[in-house]
């Protein structure tokens, strides 16, 4: 959580990415979302640039809306269970903060899975068409999802962060086709 550090400290740090085995979310709505996202990526990379841009843009907004719905469902379900374990003397503001923190945790995990889905999809595409996938575009796409996840750490709205990622993805992949 780099944004928890002071800027003066963070500027002197090196950033390393360490993969850890994370528990995957098995919610049926999330599984359907991942399939739809992979289909969107497929259209983004294979269909003519100018012809299908409106469909791709509308598809990204649909994905964003469904993402918010899945996130809300996951958070509400987890909160019902978690709320039962809280001490009775907790004030409502503390409970509200805990619920928002739970939502942020799920959001981080979902963004992490989006990054992994993107990587897996691109690797599968590279195996089918060796040497045809521009590595710099993949790198840019992954940097964008990480940037958008970082924006949420500083209280940027997740809807806007995900929208930004989708629109930047459109720009990145349209430029390489």
């Amino acid at each position: 959580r780099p944004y928890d550090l002071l800027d003066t400290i963070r500027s002197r740090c090196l950033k390393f990415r360490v993969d850890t085995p994370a528990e995957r979310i098995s919610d049926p709505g999330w599984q359907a979302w991942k399939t739809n996202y992979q289909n969107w990526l497929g259209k983004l990379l294979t269909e003519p640039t100018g012809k299908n841009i409106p469909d791709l843009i509308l598809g990204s907004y649909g994905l964003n809306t469904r993402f918010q719905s899945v996130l809300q469902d996951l958070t509400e379900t987890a909160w019902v269970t978690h709320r039962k374990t809280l001490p009775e003397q907790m004030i409502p503001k503390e409970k509200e903060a805990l619920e928002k923190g739970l939502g942020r945790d799920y959001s981080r995990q979902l963004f992490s899975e989006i990054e992994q889905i993107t990587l897996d999809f691109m690797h599968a595409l590279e195996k089918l068409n060796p040497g045809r996938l521009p590595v710099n575009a993949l790198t840019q796409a992954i940097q964008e999802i990480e940037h958008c996840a970082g924006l949420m750490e500083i209280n940027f709205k997740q809807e806007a962060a995900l929208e930004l990622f989708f629109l930047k993805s459109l720009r990145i992949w349209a430029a390489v086709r």
Side-chain angles (χ1 to χ4, degrees):
R1 297 181 0 217
Y3 294 101
D4 287 349
L5 299 172
L6 295 172
D7 290 337
T8 55
I9 294 172
R10 196 172 58 228
S11 68
R12 290 166 178 81
C13 294
L14 298 174
K15 181 179 172 184
F16 291 97
R17 186 179 167 89
V18 179
D19 290 332
T20 58
E23 184 179 319
R24 298 283 181 200
I25 295 175
S26 60
D27 179 72
W30 179 240
Q31 300 307 318
W33 189 95
K34 291 189 321 186
T35 300
N36 291 333
Y37 175 64
Q38 289 172 334
N39 293 337
W40 183 82
L41 280 173
K43 288 179 183 178
L44 182 66
L45 296 174
T46 59
E47 297 191 4
T49 305
K51 182 179 177 184
N52 226 12
I53 293 293
D55 289 340
L56 289 168
I57 291 172
L58 289 175
S60 72
Y61 283 105
L63 284 168
N64 197 343
T65 301
R66 281 179 273 141
F67 177 91
Q68 303 312 319
S69 176
V70 167
L71 179 60
Q72 183 177 1
D73 290 346
L74 287 170
T75 304
E76 286 174 359
T77 302
W79 179 243
V80 167
T81 305
H82 187 69
R83 185 176 50 205
K84 293 174 186 175
T85 66
L86 298 176
E88 289 183 26
Q89 65 270 23
M90 271 189 127
I91 62 173
K93 287 195 180 246
E94 289 175 315
K95 290 179 182 180
E96 183 181 330
L98 281 172
E99 184 177 10
K100 285 184 180 181
L102 189 61
R104 272 195 301 272
D105 290 344
Y106 272 116
S107 183
R108 272 188 223 107
Q109 189 172 356
L110 294 178
F111 265 77
S112 174
E113 287 194 32
I114 292 171
E115 182 177 344
Q116 191 59 51
I117 294 164
T118 305
L119 280 169
D120 293 345
F121 183 82
M122 299 306 165
H123 289 305
L125 191 62
E126 177 62 28
K127 285 181 182 177
L128 292 174
N129 302 307
R132 295 193 51 191
L133 181 67
V135 176
N136 63 337
L138 175 58
T139 303
Q140 287 176 337
I142 297 304
Q143 285 174 344
E144 286 305 326
I145 191 67
E146 289 176 350
H147 172 72
C148 291
L151 287 174
M152 290 186 320
E153 294 292 326
I154 56 171
N155 289 332
F156 197 77
K157 289 186 77 169
Q158 66 201 11
E159 297 94 342
L162 193 57
E163 179 182 339
L164 178 64
F165 167 68
F166 285 133
L167 294 176
K168 292 236 179 171
S169 291
L170 280 169
R171 181 175 286 153
I172 290 166
W173 294 108
V176 298
R177 273 193 281 176

